[in-house]
Amino acid sequence: MRFALGSGSKSRNRLVFTVAAMLALAGCGISTTGKQTPFVLGCLPERAELVEDINWDDALVLNIQALESEFSPMVYHFTRGKAYVLVVKNFDNEANNIWAPDFLKRGVALQSIQIGEGQPANGCINGIRIKALQTVRLNFVAAHEGRFVVHNTALPIIPGQVSDGIFYVDPPREAMLEN
């Protein structure tokens, strides 16, 4: 049986299909466990080399707060080649997200992610969902210079979103002085 809904039915069907696909794919690259999903590709192949000899007890610890769905501070500068422990504390009664695929896959060599009191995990991810009142720790080495946009969203493929933070990976200061 065939239904004729008028000339706009194809457009509506495409819209419904597009929205359904966006919702289905939105969570694919966001980790709630710190483990890699099968939908994430493109992490640094040399990641193991960059993080293998790091003494994480000596890494610089930086803190970010998520409160009222905003990150504070919103801008961070990391130095290429240095190790960091980024601690993100969610003070909200709802989940917040760090959606930063360029940063997490290209800007840094991610050594591990620890969500709450869980065991540290490693893998290739696009983002992290931080549940209400939870803390996440990311151990990484800043790997590639650039400006990386961070969004607090579970639906990263919606156009027109405003950034919720900016992470910069800067060259080492010695390299800047030589020029």
Side-chain angles (χ1 to χ4, degrees):
M1 178 177 245
R2 192 171 179 181
F3 294 96
L5 298 174
S7 63
S9 67
K10 285 185 180 179
S11 295
R12 278 191 296 269
N13 290 342
R14 273 189 226 139
L15 177 63
V16 168
F17 176 76
T18 301
V19 170
M22 286 174 26
L23 290 172
L25 293 173
C28 292
I30 294 180
S31 177
T32 57
T33 63
K35 296 186 180 178
Q36 178 174 336
T37 72
F39 299 97
V40 181
L41 300 172
C43 281
L44 292 174
E46 69 274 14
R47 179 178 67 87
E49 283 179 20
L50 296 172
V51 298
E52 67 186 9
D53 293 330
I54 301 295
N55 179 353
W56 293 102
D57 293 331
D58 294 337
L60 181 60
V61 178
L62 301 171
N63 293 290
I64 292 180
Q65 295 180 354
L67 181 62
E68 297 178 8
S69 299
E70 292 186 3
F71 297 125
S72 178
M74 293 177 61
V75 177
Y76 265 105
H77 285 267
F78 304 100
T79 302
R80 182 177 42 83
K82 290 196 174 186
Y84 295 91
V85 176
L86 187 63
V87 179
V88 185
K89 295 180 182 179
N90 184 1
F91 289 100
D92 284 339
N93 289 322
E94 59 188 41
N96 281 286
N97 301 287
I98 293 180
W99 179 259
D102 285 343
F103 180 73
L104 293 168
K105 295 187 329 186
R106 188 174 55 86
V108 301
L110 190 61
Q111 188 265 343
S112 68
I113 306 161
Q114 182 178 1
I115 298 177
E117 297 298 320
Q119 291 295 316
N122 56 22
C124 186
I125 61 171
N126 285 324
I128 303 161
R129 172 154 300 154
I130 308 163
K131 294 179 184 175
L133 307 174
Q134 191 174 56
T135 299
V136 172
R137 291 175 54 100
L138 296 107
N139 291 15
F140 62 85
V141 173
H144 292 285
E145 297 166 18
R147 176 184 179 270
F148 303 95
V149 177
V150 180
H151 294 283
N152 184 356
T153 183
L155 297 171
I157 52 181
I158 295 176
Q161 292 182 347
V162 178
S163 70
D164 294 299
I166 304 290
F167 292 164
Y168 291 93
V169 176
D170 300 319
R173 296 229 178 222
E174 301 81 38
M176 290 174 60
L177 295 175
E178 290 175 6
N179 292 331

